[in-house]
C-alpha cells in the first residue's frame, strides 16, 4: 500500500503523529489496515515471500525517469472555451 509520496519511514512517522494527536482514530486505522491486508491475501500476495533485495530497483534512477515520462505523457491540456470548466 503506497498512496503517499514520502519515504516509508517518513510516512510511518506521520501516521504515528496523527494517531498521537488524535487526528486518526487508531481503531479505524486498524480496520482499514486489516481491509488492505485481506485484499492482498485474496490476491495471493502473501503466497510467496520476496527474498530479493529490491533496494537497487525500487525508486531507482531508471524508475524515476520512467515515472516522469509517464507523467509527461499523461498531461492533458484543456481549453476553457465559454467558461465551461469550473
Amino acid at each position: 500500500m503506497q498512496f503517499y509520496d514520502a519515504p516509508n519511514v517518513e510516512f510511518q512517522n506521520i501516521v504515528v503523529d496523527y494517531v498521537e494527536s488524535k487526528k486518526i482514530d487508531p481503531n479505524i486505522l486498524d480496520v482499514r489496515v486489516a481491509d488492505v491486508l485481506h485484499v492482498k491475501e485474496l490476491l495471493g500476495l502473501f503466497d510467496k515471500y520476496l527474498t530479493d533485495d529490491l533496494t537497487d530497483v525500487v525508486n531507482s534512477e531508471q524508475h524515476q525517469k520512467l515515472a516522469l515520462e509517464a507523467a509527461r505523457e499523461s498531461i492533458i491540456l484543456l481549453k476553457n472555451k465559454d467558461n465551461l470548466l469550473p
Side-chain angles (χ1 to χ4, degrees):
M1 173 177 109
Q2 184 165 343
F3 58 88
Y4 50 87
D5 293 328
N8 212 16
V9 173
E10 186 177 336
F11 177 73
Q12 291 171 2
N13 291 336
I14 292 169
V15 171
V16 169
D17 289 343
Y18 272 48
V19 169
E20 289 175 349
S21 66
K22 300 185 191 236
K23 291 180 182 178
I24 296 177
D25 181 345
N27 296 319
I28 292 175
L29 185 62
D30 287 345
V31 170
R32 297 300 173 236
V33 169
D35 290 344
V36 170
L37 293 175
H38 180 69
V39 170
K40 286 184 170 192
E41 180 182 26
L42 291 174
L43 292 171
L45 298 179
F46 298 126
D47 294 345
K48 181 180 176 195
Y49 296 103
L50 292 174
T51 56
D52 297 335
D53 182 12
L54 299 177
T55 55
D56 291 339
V57 177
V58 176
N59 204 24
S60 66
E61 185 177 341
Q62 179 185 5
H63 283 191
Q64 289 178 5
K65 287 179 182 178
L66 183 61
L68 180 59
E69 178 183 347
R72 285 180 174 153
E73 291 181 8
S74 65
I75 293 173
I76 297 173
L77 180 63
L78 299 175
K79 184 176 182 180
N80 193 7
K81 185 176 181 184
D82 299 325
N83 292 322
L84 294 176
L85 297 174

